[in-house]
Amino acid sequence: MNYYLGVDGGGSKTLAVVSDEQGQIVGRGMSGCGNHQVGVELARRSIRESVTEALSQAGLVKEQIEYAMFGLAGADREADFRILRPMMAEMNFPAYDIVCDTVIGLRAGTRQPDGVVVVCGSGTNCFGVNKHGESLQCGGFGYTYGDFGGGGGLAVEVFRTVIRAWEGREEPTLLTGAVLKMLGYPSVERMFHDFLDHGKDIPRHLTKLLFQVAEHDEAARRILQRQGEELGIAAAAVIHKLDMMQDSFDLVLVGSVLTRGDSRFVIPYIEKIVKTAAPGCSLRRLAMEPAAGAVLLAMERAGRQVAETVYERLDDGLSVEEVGA
Protein backbone atom coordinates (compact mmCIF):
# COMPACT_ATOMS: atom_id res chain seq x y z
CA MET A 1 0.00 0.00 0.00
CA ASN A 2 1.28 3.48 -0.89
CA TYR A 3 0.63 6.49 1.36
CA TYR A 4 0.41 10.21 0.67
CA LEU A 5 0.64 13.28 2.88
CA GLY A 6 -1.37 16.42 2.23
CA VAL A 7 -0.85 19.57 4.28
CA ASP A 8 -2.99 22.70 4.30
CA GLY A 9 -1.13 25.42 6.17
CA GLY A 10 -3.39 28.43 6.60
CA GLY A 11 -3.43 31.66 8.52
CA SER A 12 -5.47 30.25 11.40
CA LYS A 13 -4.85 26.49 11.32
CA THR A 14 -2.71 23.79 9.77
CA LEU A 15 -4.28 20.47 8.82
CA ALA A 16 -2.14 17.49 7.80
CA VAL A 17 -3.67 14.24 6.56
CA VAL A 18 -2.28 10.89 5.49
CA SER A 19 -4.20 8.93 2.89
CA ASP A 20 -3.65 5.49 1.43
CA GLU A 21 -3.75 4.99 -2.35
CA GLN A 22 -7.51 4.31 -2.17
CA GLY A 23 -8.29 7.70 -0.60
CA GLN A 24 -8.89 6.37 2.90
CA ILE A 25 -7.70 8.85 5.55
CA VAL A 26 -5.53 6.92 8.00
CA GLY A 27 -4.12 9.80 10.01
CA ARG A 28 -4.65 13.48 10.63
CA GLY A 29 -3.08 16.24 12.69
CA MET A 30 -4.11 19.77 13.51
CA SER A 31 -2.07 22.72 14.71
CA GLY A 32 -1.95 26.51 14.53
CA CYS A 33 -0.93 29.07 11.94
CA GLY A 34 1.09 27.65 9.04
CA ASN A 35 1.73 30.95 7.24
CA HIS A 36 5.40 31.94 7.46
CA GLN A 37 4.45 35.55 6.71
CA VAL A 38 2.85 35.68 10.15
CA GLY A 39 5.89 34.10 11.77
CA VAL A 40 8.53 31.76 10.37
CA GLU A 41 9.11 29.83 13.58
CA LEU A 42 5.37 29.67 14.28
CA ALA A 43 4.74 28.21 10.83
CA ARG A 44 7.61 25.73 11.16
CA ARG A 45 6.31 24.53 14.51
CA SER A 46 2.69 24.29 13.37
CA ILE A 47 3.54 22.34 10.22
CA ARG A 48 5.82 19.95 12.10
CA GLU A 49 3.27 19.38 14.85
CA SER A 50 0.44 18.62 12.46
CA VAL A 51 2.58 16.32 10.31
CA THR A 52 3.97 14.47 13.33
CA GLU A 53 0.48 13.93 14.70
CA ALA A 54 -0.86 12.69 11.35
CA LEU A 55 2.01 10.23 10.90
CA SER A 56 1.68 9.01 14.48
CA GLN A 57 -2.04 8.44 14.07
CA ALA A 58 -1.38 6.56 10.84
CA GLY A 59 1.37 4.47 12.44
CA LEU A 60 3.80 5.44 9.68
CA VAL A 61 7.23 7.03 9.32
CA LYS A 62 8.27 9.59 6.71
CA GLU A 63 10.04 7.01 4.57
CA GLN A 64 6.70 5.28 3.97
CA ILE A 65 5.15 8.40 2.41
CA GLU A 66 5.43 8.12 -1.37
CA TYR A 67 4.80 11.82 -1.88
CA ALA A 68 4.08 14.79 0.39
CA MET A 69 2.38 17.95 -0.85
CA PHE A 70 2.47 21.14 1.20
CA GLY A 71 -0.17 23.73 0.30
CA LEU A 72 0.82 26.80 2.28
CA ALA A 73 -0.68 30.24 2.71
CA GLY A 74 1.96 32.82 1.86
CA ALA A 75 3.71 30.62 -0.73
CA ASP A 76 3.27 33.37 -3.30
CA ARG A 77 6.62 34.62 -4.57
CA GLU A 78 10.19 33.45 -5.02
CA ALA A 79 11.10 35.34 -1.86
CA ASP A 80 8.63 33.11 0.02
CA PHE A 81 9.95 29.90 -1.51
CA ARG A 82 13.50 30.79 -0.47
CA ILE A 83 12.21 30.56 3.10
CA LEU A 84 9.90 27.58 2.62
CA ARG A 85 12.16 25.24 0.61
CA PRO A 86 14.75 24.73 3.38
CA MET A 87 11.96 24.56 5.97
CA MET A 88 10.30 21.66 4.15
CA ALA A 89 13.63 20.04 3.25
CA GLU A 90 14.38 19.74 6.97
CA MET A 91 11.43 17.37 7.28
CA ASN A 92 13.25 14.76 5.14
CA PHE A 93 10.40 13.38 3.06
CA PRO A 94 11.63 11.23 0.13
CA ALA A 95 9.54 13.23 -2.38
CA TYR A 96 7.61 16.44 -1.80
CA ASP A 97 6.62 19.79 -3.24
CA ILE A 98 5.29 23.16 -2.06
CA VAL A 99 2.45 25.12 -3.64
CA CYS A 100 0.28 28.02 -2.56
CA ASP A 101 -2.83 27.04 -0.63
CA THR A 102 -4.96 28.42 -3.48
CA VAL A 103 -3.65 25.60 -5.71
CA ILE A 104 -4.79 22.84 -3.37
CA GLY A 105 -8.12 24.60 -2.85
CA LEU A 106 -8.75 24.60 -6.59
CA ARG A 107 -7.68 20.94 -6.92
CA ALA A 108 -10.02 19.90 -4.10
CA GLY A 109 -12.98 21.70 -5.65
CA THR A 110 -12.92 20.66 -9.31
CA ARG A 111 -12.10 17.57 -11.33
CA GLN A 112 -11.10 19.60 -14.38
CA PRO A 113 -7.46 20.56 -15.05
CA ASP A 114 -8.51 24.20 -15.50
CA GLY A 115 -10.54 26.51 -13.29
CA VAL A 116 -10.48 29.48 -10.93
CA VAL A 117 -10.56 29.62 -7.15
CA VAL A 118 -11.39 32.48 -4.81
CA VAL A 119 -10.39 32.20 -1.17
CA CYS A 120 -11.93 34.09 1.73
CA GLY A 121 -10.58 32.73 4.98
CA SER A 122 -8.15 34.64 7.21
CA GLY A 123 -7.42 36.75 4.13
CA THR A 124 -8.45 36.67 0.48
CA ASN A 125 -6.80 35.34 -2.65
CA CYS A 126 -7.61 34.30 -6.20
CA PHE A 127 -5.87 31.87 -8.56
CA GLY A 128 -6.66 30.38 -11.95
CA VAL A 129 -5.36 27.89 -14.49
CA ASN A 130 -6.56 27.90 -18.10
CA LYS A 131 -6.87 24.97 -20.53
CA HIS A 132 -3.32 25.63 -21.79
CA GLY A 133 -1.88 25.22 -18.31
CA GLU A 134 -1.12 28.92 -17.87
CA SER A 135 -1.74 30.14 -14.31
CA LEU A 136 -2.16 33.45 -12.56
CA GLN A 137 -2.61 34.66 -8.99
CA CYS A 138 -4.49 37.86 -8.18
CA GLY A 139 -4.32 39.21 -4.64
CA GLY A 140 -3.27 37.55 -1.44
CA PHE A 141 -1.09 40.37 -0.12
CA GLY A 142 -3.52 42.37 2.00
CA TYR A 143 -5.45 45.61 1.87
CA THR A 144 -2.46 47.79 1.02
CA TYR A 145 -1.89 45.73 -2.14
CA GLY A 146 -5.47 45.78 -3.36
CA ASP A 147 -7.35 43.15 -1.33
CA PHE A 148 -10.46 43.62 0.76
CA GLY A 149 -11.77 41.58 3.65
CA GLY A 150 -11.09 38.05 4.68
CA GLY A 151 -11.63 37.13 8.32
CA GLY A 152 -9.22 39.72 9.69
CA GLY A 153 -10.35 42.51 7.40
CA LEU A 154 -14.05 41.85 7.91
CA ALA A 155 -13.60 41.90 11.69
CA VAL A 156 -12.09 45.37 11.38
CA GLU A 157 -15.06 46.44 9.24
CA VAL A 158 -17.41 45.21 11.96
CA PHE A 159 -15.54 47.08 14.69
CA ARG A 160 -15.24 50.35 12.81
CA THR A 161 -18.91 50.21 11.76
CA VAL A 162 -19.90 50.01 15.43
CA ILE A 163 -17.63 52.95 16.23
CA ARG A 164 -19.00 55.00 13.34
CA ALA A 165 -22.60 54.28 14.37
CA TRP A 166 -21.81 55.31 17.96
CA GLU A 167 -20.31 58.57 16.73
CA GLY A 168 -23.26 59.25 14.43
CA ARG A 169 -21.34 58.83 11.18
CA GLU A 170 -23.56 55.84 10.28
CA GLU A 171 -27.05 54.67 11.11
CA PRO A 172 -27.56 52.51 14.22
CA THR A 173 -26.71 48.85 13.62
CA LEU A 174 -27.46 45.51 15.26
CA LEU A 175 -23.73 44.88 15.15
CA THR A 176 -23.36 47.19 18.16
CA GLY A 177 -25.21 44.96 20.61
CA ALA A 178 -23.66 41.83 19.13
CA VAL A 179 -20.10 43.17 19.45
CA LEU A 180 -20.59 44.46 23.00
CA LYS A 181 -22.01 41.11 24.08
CA MET A 182 -19.24 39.10 22.42
CA LEU A 183 -16.45 41.27 23.83
CA GLY A 184 -18.06 41.88 27.22
CA TYR A 185 -18.33 45.67 27.31
CA PRO A 186 -21.23 47.65 28.81
CA SER A 187 -20.97 50.42 26.21
CA VAL A 188 -19.24 51.37 22.96
CA GLU A 189 -17.52 54.22 24.78
CA ARG A 190 -15.88 51.84 27.25
CA MET A 191 -14.82 49.55 24.41
CA PHE A 192 -13.49 52.46 22.35
CA HIS A 193 -11.22 53.75 25.12
CA ASP A 194 -10.10 50.30 26.28
CA PHE A 195 -8.94 49.33 22.80
CA LEU A 196 -7.17 52.67 22.31
CA ASP A 197 -5.56 52.76 25.75
CA HIS A 198 -4.17 49.23 25.52
CA GLY A 199 -3.49 48.96 21.78
CA LYS A 200 -5.70 45.91 21.46
CA ASP A 201 -6.06 44.01 18.18
CA ILE A 202 -9.50 43.46 16.68
CA PRO A 203 -10.53 39.82 17.32
CA ARG A 204 -11.12 37.95 14.07
CA HIS A 205 -14.14 36.13 15.41
CA LEU A 206 -16.15 39.35 15.13
CA THR A 207 -16.61 38.37 11.47
CA LYS A 208 -19.15 35.74 12.53
CA LEU A 209 -21.46 38.50 13.75
CA LEU A 210 -22.00 39.74 10.20
CA PHE A 211 -23.87 36.56 9.33
CA GLN A 212 -25.75 36.52 12.64
CA VAL A 213 -27.37 39.91 12.08
CA ALA A 214 -27.33 40.30 8.28
CA GLU A 215 -30.94 39.18 7.86
CA HIS A 216 -32.12 42.30 9.66
CA ASP A 217 -29.19 44.72 9.39
CA GLU A 218 -28.29 46.89 6.41
CA ALA A 219 -24.77 47.67 7.63
CA ALA A 220 -23.86 43.98 7.88
CA ARG A 221 -25.36 43.24 4.47
CA ARG A 222 -23.41 46.13 2.95
CA ILE A 223 -20.09 44.78 4.25
CA LEU A 224 -20.82 41.26 3.01
CA GLN A 225 -21.95 42.59 -0.37
CA ARG A 226 -18.67 44.43 -0.82
CA GLN A 227 -16.80 41.26 0.10
CA GLY A 228 -18.65 39.35 -2.62
CA GLU A 229 -18.09 42.07 -5.20
CA GLU A 230 -14.37 42.30 -4.46
CA LEU A 231 -13.95 38.53 -4.82
CA GLY A 232 -15.89 38.64 -8.08
CA ILE A 233 -13.68 41.45 -9.39
CA ALA A 234 -10.53 39.43 -8.60
CA ALA A 235 -11.92 36.34 -10.32
CA ALA A 236 -12.96 38.35 -13.37
CA ALA A 237 -9.45 39.82 -13.61
CA VAL A 238 -7.95 36.31 -13.65
CA ILE A 239 -10.51 35.13 -16.22
CA HIS A 240 -9.72 37.99 -18.57
CA LYS A 241 -5.95 37.77 -18.22
CA LEU A 242 -5.99 34.00 -18.85
CA ASP A 243 -8.44 34.42 -21.76
CA MET A 244 -11.03 32.10 -20.19
CA MET A 245 -14.10 34.15 -21.13
CA GLN A 246 -15.47 31.56 -23.58
CA ASP A 247 -14.49 28.48 -21.54
CA SER A 248 -16.57 26.21 -19.32
CA PHE A 249 -14.93 25.72 -15.94
CA ASP A 250 -15.59 25.72 -12.20
CA LEU A 251 -15.10 28.72 -9.94
CA VAL A 252 -14.31 27.12 -6.59
CA LEU A 253 -15.24 29.02 -3.44
CA VAL A 254 -12.83 28.35 -0.58
CA GLY A 255 -12.53 29.61 3.00
CA SER A 256 -14.79 29.73 6.03
CA VAL A 257 -16.49 32.98 5.00
CA LEU A 258 -17.69 31.28 1.80
CA THR A 259 -18.18 27.70 2.94
CA ARG A 260 -19.52 28.11 6.48
CA GLY A 261 -21.27 31.47 6.36
CA ASP A 262 -24.74 32.24 4.97
CA SER A 263 -24.01 32.28 1.24
CA ARG A 264 -27.05 34.47 0.43
CA PHE A 265 -25.20 37.58 1.51
CA VAL A 266 -21.93 37.05 -0.42
CA ILE A 267 -22.06 34.54 -3.25
CA PRO A 268 -24.73 36.18 -5.47
CA TYR A 269 -22.48 39.21 -5.83
CA ILE A 270 -19.54 37.02 -6.84
CA GLU A 271 -21.73 35.18 -9.33
CA LYS A 272 -23.10 38.31 -10.99
CA ILE A 273 -19.63 39.63 -11.82
CA VAL A 274 -18.10 36.30 -12.79
CA LYS A 275 -21.01 35.21 -14.99
CA THR A 276 -20.68 38.48 -16.89
CA ALA A 277 -17.00 37.74 -17.50
CA ALA A 278 -17.47 34.03 -18.33
CA PRO A 279 -21.06 32.81 -18.85
CA GLY A 280 -19.89 29.18 -18.97
CA CYS A 281 -18.46 29.32 -15.46
CA SER A 282 -20.11 27.27 -12.68
CA LEU A 283 -19.76 28.27 -9.02
CA ARG A 284 -18.96 25.46 -6.59
CA ARG A 285 -18.57 25.84 -2.85
CA LEU A 286 -15.72 23.66 -1.66
CA ALA A 287 -17.14 20.47 -0.17
CA MET A 288 -13.80 18.91 0.80
CA GLU A 289 -11.09 20.48 2.92
CA PRO A 290 -8.23 21.91 0.82
CA ALA A 291 -6.00 19.25 2.37
CA ALA A 292 -7.82 16.79 0.10
CA GLY A 293 -6.50 18.77 -2.86
CA ALA A 294 -2.99 18.39 -1.46
CA VAL A 295 -3.50 14.62 -1.27
CA LEU A 296 -4.80 14.49 -4.84
CA LEU A 297 -1.84 16.50 -6.12
CA ALA A 298 0.53 14.22 -4.21
CA MET A 299 -1.01 11.17 -5.88
CA GLU A 300 -0.74 12.76 -9.31
CA ARG A 301 2.86 13.87 -8.78
CA ALA A 302 3.66 10.27 -7.88
CA GLY A 303 2.19 9.17 -11.22
CA ARG A 304 -1.00 7.65 -9.88
CA GLN A 305 -4.31 7.91 -11.72
CA VAL A 306 -7.06 9.21 -9.42
CA ALA A 307 -10.08 6.89 -9.54
CA GLU A 308 -13.65 7.94 -8.80
CA THR A 309 -13.60 5.93 -5.59
CA VAL A 310 -10.67 8.00 -4.32
CA TYR A 311 -12.74 11.18 -4.61
CA GLU A 312 -15.60 9.48 -2.78
CA ARG A 313 -13.44 8.32 0.11
CA LEU A 314 -11.71 11.68 0.45
CA ASP A 315 -15.09 13.37 0.47
CA ASP A 316 -16.22 11.05 3.26
CA GLY A 317 -13.14 11.69 5.37
CA LEU A 318 -12.47 15.34 4.65
CA SER A 319 -15.83 17.03 4.14
CA VAL A 320 -15.82 20.69 5.17
CA GLU A 321 -18.71 20.04 7.57
CA GLU A 322 -16.96 17.15 9.32
CA VAL A 323 -13.59 18.84 9.77
CA GLY A 324 -15.27 22.11 10.77
CA ALA A 325 -17.20 20.32 13.47
Side-chain angles (χ1 to χ4, degrees):
M1 182 71 74
N2 293 310
Y3 296 95
Y4 306 89
L5 174 72
V7 178
D8 173 25
S12 56
K13 69 178 176 66
T14 299
L15 174 63
V17 296
V18 177
S19 166
D20 65 21
E21 62 193 33
Q22 298 172 346
Q24 188 72 39
I25 302 301
V26 296
R28 69 181 71 200
M30 188 86 78
S31 191
C33 172
N35 186 340
H36 73 284
Q37 294 175 353
V38 177
V40 173
E41 291 307 315
L42 172 62
R44 176 184 279 112
R45 183 171 65 251
S46 296
I47 293 167
R48 283 183 174 274
E49 286 176 354
S50 62
V51 168
T52 299
E53 184 180 349
L55 289 172
S56 175
Q57 200 176 100
L60 300 171
V61 295
K62 295 174 183 177
E63 291 72 21
Q64 292 173 281
I65 301 298
E66 185 174 15
Y67 205 100
M69 179 60 72
F70 297 88
L72 305 177
D76 300 307
R77 303 183 302 131
E78 177 57 30
D80 298 306
F81 283 95
R82 285 198 291 268
I83 296 170
L84 294 171
R85 288 189 194 107
M87 188 188 298
M88 297 305 105
E90 292 169 1
M91 302 189 73
N92 296 316
F93 282 97
Y96 68 92
D97 199 4
I98 310 162
V99 296
C100 185
D101 61 342
T102 53
V103 179
I104 64 172
L106 178 59
R107 184 64 188 87
T110 183
R111 301 186 187 185
Q112 293 183 215
D114 56 331
V116 178
V117 57
V118 289
V119 181
C120 193
S122 298
T124 68
N125 208 338
C126 181
F127 172 80
V129 180
N130 65 18
K131 58 188 177 183
H132 305 295
E134 300 165 326
S135 63
L136 178 71
Q137 178 178 327
C138 178
F141 300 100
Y143 182 82
T144 304
Y145 296 93
D147 298 342
F148 173 82
L154 290 176
V156 171
E157 292 297 319
V158 170
F159 189 88
R160 72 188 300 272
T161 296
V162 169
I163 298 299
R164 286 169 62 85
W166 168 61
E167 293 177 328
R169 287 193 270 180
E170 290 192 19
E171 293 297 315
T173 170
L174 295 176
L175 289 169
T176 299
V179 167
L180 293 178
K181 181 178 180 181
M182 178 173 279
L183 299 185
Y185 289 97
S187 68
V188 177
E189 183 175 9
R190 285 277 295 275
M191 179 181 74
F192 177 86
H193 289 294
D194 190 42
F195 269 73
L196 275 177
D197 292 342
H198 299 94
K200 291 186 175 182
D201 294 326
I202 310 302
R204 288 185 176 182
H205 59 272
L206 292 184
T207 297
K208 298 177 182 178
L209 300 178
L210 288 168
F211 294 101
Q212 291 179 16
V213 306
E215 186 78 52
H216 305 289
D217 190 78
E218 175 61 30
R221 290 196 299 272
R222 187 168 59 247
I223 294 169
L224 292 172
Q225 177 178 339
R226 184 178 178 193
Q227 180 67 90
E229 290 172 344
E230 289 285 347
L231 293 171
I233 289 168
V238 169
I239 289 166
H240 282 289
K241 287 195 171 184
L242 291 178
D243 195 21
M244 301 173 70
M245 294 82 74
Q246 306 305 318
D247 297 343
S248 296
F249 58 90
D250 293 327
L251 174 71
V252 182
L253 308 174
V254 177
S256 57
V257 173
L258 299 176
T259 59
R260 297 194 176 102
D262 191 330
S263 62
R264 294 176 298 155
F265 303 112
V266 182
I267 294 178
Y269 301 104
I270 301 174
E271 185 170 25
K272 181 179 179 181
I273 294 173
V274 171
K275 283 285 193 178
T276 300
C281 171
S282 299
L283 274 67
R284 298 188 184 280
R285 282 209 293 182
L286 188 66
M288 293 192 293
E289 284 287 326
V295 169
L296 290 166
L297 285 173
M299 291 179 175
E300 290 168 345
R301 295 288 178 89
R304 183 166 296 278
Q305 287 287 103
V306 179
E308 184 69 25
T309 54
V310 171
Y311 285 103
E312 293 171 359
R313 290 193 179 97
L314 287 176
D315 189 44
D316 287 339
L318 290 173
S319 70
V320 168
E321 290 80 6
E322 178 190 340
V323 176

